[in-house]
Structures are given as structure tokens and as C-alpha cells.
Amino acid sequence: MFPINRPRRLRSTPQLRRMVQEVSLNASDLIYPLFAVPGESIAKEVVSMPGVYQLSVDKIVAEAKEVYDLGIPSIILFGIPDTKDTEATGAWHDCGIVQKAATAVKEAVPELVVIADTCLCEYTTHGHCGYLEVGDLTGKVLNDPTLELLKKTAVSQAKAGADIIAPSGMMDGFVQAIRQGLDEAGFENTPILSYAAKYASAYYGPFRDAAESAPQYGDRRTYQMDPANGREALKEVELDIAEGADMLMVKPALSYMDIIWRVKEITNLPVAAYNVSGEYSMIKAAALNGWIDEKKVALETLTSFKRAGADLILTYHAKDAVRWLNE
Ligand code: PBG
Ligand code: ZN
């Protein structure tokens, strides 16, 4: 009889398919990003991200409850401050918007794990992820002065109740600096989720609308990575591990599944993948046109991140995905 090998045998019924399924997507894999703005009763939809809103703190709290009730264990907070300046005061001030949101969420839903994105780009007038020399118009962020501001930001976020600190600015030595700052302030048990391999990606476009954080001049290529480089991601990851990172992130996810896989192969730390704004908007736009099946495409995408090695997925689809999984 030919052929002897018939892989289709194990695909012949739903029961068999379920038994041989290698990975599965669960609510507990997901982290939901939220954008906090000053004010009250504000829910402003982001034009390029249908279903995603800038929310005032009261609305963030309501959203946090909903997220927790769906079984999603964690949110990540981004902030849009009232005013921006060259020192990124809104990032590290104890009354900053992320600090306020973190405190309010922890008070209302203590079990929800609150991750604070730790970066300066939403808070600087120029929109870069760090400190620029006065008069600089090229966007060459000064590394070490930026570390001091990141340290202050992380400590203030931890004080406000953030459970995990997630530095996203791709500064050299930022994990070590933040670890030291947290330890000195008595937060030695607060984990760091490092955006270890973050690429200079055009897929961040819609996020910059949401966070109002587009660079005013220059670009982020002196700190974020070249999309052509894979080995360099492994170097970044090795350094972050040596500096004391507790979890590692690869960002974006869809065009970088090989990186997720390669990172997973060299570490036993949890690996997170950031399914970024542009990836979300592409699915949304096509679905709104009736060109693809949103539910199927989104679940397929998220499941393939698991297959590629991601333990955790940051995604704007999180709430929908859980509803679909529960159907
Ligand atoms: C910057 C930051 C970015 C995102 C989160 N924090 C990228 C950037 O503006 O360069 C992107 C997230 C997304 O696209 O969903 N620290
Ligand atoms: Zn940034």
C-alpha cells in the first residue's frame, strides 16, 4: 500500500485534531495595552486603531475590571500627559498620568498585574525616547543622562503601584540602571520586562497617533534596531539577561517571528511578543472592508506567536480574542 505515511489520519476528526494540537492560545497569555489621558469621562477613539481609546483614569479603571473579569491577567499602561517638556517631567513625576492610573487600577482591581511602560517619548516635546542635547535637531539621544531619567521614572511607577516595569526605549544599560534604581528604593522584588529586541519599525505608526509620541524631527534609528538584523537581537537579549532582566520582549511580532524563535532558543526567561499597532490596524482595516474574517485572522495570528515561542502576547485584540475563545 502506498503511501504508508498518512499525516491526514490524525486530522480526520475534531477530537483527533484537538489531541495533537501543539500550542493553544489562552486568556492567561495576553496583556492588554491601555492609553491613559488626564481628565474625566474621556474615551476618545484612536482613528487609526478602531476599538482602541485614549481613556481618562476613571475609564481606565472600568476597563481594567472588564479585562480582569475576562480572565486576562495583565494590562500595560501608556500615558499621554497634559504638557510635554525636554526633561520628560510627566514620565517621572509622582503625579504623572501613568502613576495616577496605576494607583487607581491597583486600588480597584488589586489582582490585575499592572505593567508600566517606562519610556520618555510620550513626555518629551521632541517625541524622542530620551534626553537630547540642548539645540539638537537630529534626534541623537544622549544615552547616560537618559538612564537617570528612566531610573526616576521606574521608581516613581513602582511607588505608584506598578507590578512590573517595562523599559521600551532601547537605551544601552537601561535594565541595569533601572534594576539598581528599583533596588535602592526598596523595590528589589519588582520584575523588569525589557523591550530587549525592539526594531525601528513602520508598524508603530498608529501607536504614535494613540500616544501622541511621533518624533518631531529625526527618527529612532540611533536607538531602535535595523529590521535587517537578527544576530544583533540576540546580542541585545544577552546583554539584558546579564543586566538582570526578568522577562524579554520582541517587538514587533508579525514580521519578527524568526526573532521570537531565536530568542526563545537562547533563554529560559519568559518571552513576550508585542503584536503592535500597525499589525492590529491592518487586520481591522481589512476586516472593516469585508476582505478578511477578523476573528479567524486575529486568532490565527495570535496562535502563531505562541507557536513561534512567545509565552506572552501584548495585543490590542486581547479582549476580542478572549470573547472569541469563549464562544
Ligand atoms: C516607544 C514605544 C513604541 C511603541 C510602544 N512604545 C514605538 C515607537 O513609538 O517607536 C509601539 C507600540 C505599538 O506600535 O503598538 N517607546
Ligand atoms: Zn519611547
Side-chain angles (χ1 to χ4, degrees), residues 7-63:
R8 290 184 56 198
R9 286 180 194 123
L10 295 180
R11 294 181 201 134
S12 59
T13 68
Q15 294 72 27
L16 282 168
R17 291 197 293 273
R18 183 165 167 246
M19 284 175 72
V20 299
Q21 186 175 97
E22 296 176 29
V23 295
S24 60
L25 182 68
N26 303 292
S28 58
D29 305 324
L30 306 176
I31 298 170
Y32 190 54
L34 289 171
F35 298 95
V37 290
E40 224 181 300
S41 302
I42 296 170
K44 192 175 164 218
E45 194 167 28
V46 180
V47 176
S48 51
M49 301 178 75
V52 173
Y53 298 80
Q54 294 181 336
L55 300 169
S56 51
V57 171
D58 54 314
K59 297 275 187 184
I60 292 258
V61 167
E63 192 76 2

Side-chain angles (χ1 to χ4, degrees), residues 159-193:
K159 268 203 283 183
D163 298 296
I164 297 178
I165 297 301
S168 61
M170 290 297 282
M171 294 299 129
D172 293 339
F174 70 172
V175 172
Q176 185 178 26
I178 287 170
R179 183 72 275 155
Q180 188 196 21
L182 289 172
D183 290 357
E184 280 169 11
F187 294 103
E188 50 281 289
N189 286 317
T190 300
I192 296 176
L193 162 59

Side-chain angles (χ1 to χ4, degrees), residues 14 23 28 40 48 117 160 202 209 214 217 225 227 248 285 302-304 313-314:
V23 295
S28 58
E40 224 181 300
S48 51
D117 179 87
D209 296 339
Y217 42 82
M225 289 175 46
L248 303 162
L302 296 173
T303 303
S304 42
I313 304 165
L314 296 91

Side-chain angles (χ1 to χ4, degrees), residues 122-311:
E122 292 116 71
Y123 309 91
T124 50
T125 32
H126 44 68
H128 280 287
C129 299
Y131 193 78
L132 298 187
E133 191 138 21
V134 181
D136 176 290
L137 285 177
T138 61
K140 260 196 209 121
V141 170
L142 298 176
N143 197 83
D144 299 6
T146 300
L147 297 182
E148 292 307 310
L149 296 180
L150 289 175
K151 237 163 128 167
K152 277 211 296 201
T153 304
V155 170
S156 142
Q157 290 170 334
K159 268 203 283 183
D163 298 296
I164 297 178
I165 297 301
S168 61
M170 290 297 282
M171 294 299 129
D172 293 339
F174 70 172
V175 172
Q176 185 178 26
I178 287 170
R179 183 72 275 155
Q180 188 196 21
L182 289 172
D183 290 357
E184 280 169 11
F187 294 103
E188 50 281 289
N189 286 317
T190 300
I192 296 176
L193 162 59
S194 176
Y195 286 65
K198 177 172 175 179
Y199 287 86
S201 171
Y203 283 96
Y204 305 149
F207 172 92
R208 293 179 187 172
D209 296 339
E212 300 175 12
S213 62
Q216 298 304 300
Y217 42 82
D219 55 43
R220 301 208 204 287
R221 284 183 294 179
T222 68
Y223 39 107
Q224 297 178 351
M225 289 175 46
D226 184 338
N229 295 356
R231 284 195 308 267
E232 191 183 339
L234 304 185
K235 180 180 76 184
E236 286 282 2
V237 159
E238 279 164 12
L239 293 174
D240 282 6
I241 294 170
E243 290 178 29
D246 299 281
M247 297 190 256
L248 303 162
M249 194 196 300
V250 173
K251 179 182 177 180
L254 203 48
S255 282
Y256 299 86
M257 292 240 210
D258 57 326
I259 308 299
I260 298 172
W261 177 261
R262 289 169 74 181
V263 168
K264 187 70 180 180
E265 281 196 316
I266 63 161
T267 181
N268 292 315
L269 295 181
V271 174
Y274 201 139
N275 175 216
V276 300
S277 56
E279 301 170 17
Y280 172 84
S281 299
M282 291 195 302
I283 290 181
K284 278 286 176 185
L288 284 167
N289 271 301
W291 295 340
I292 58 168
D293 180 325
E294 179 180 6
K295 170 182 159 181
K296 286 186 176 157
V297 172
L299 290 178
E300 180 179 331
T301 305
L302 296 173
T303 303
S304 42
F305 298 144
K306 293 288 299 285
R307 191 200 61 235
D311 301 292

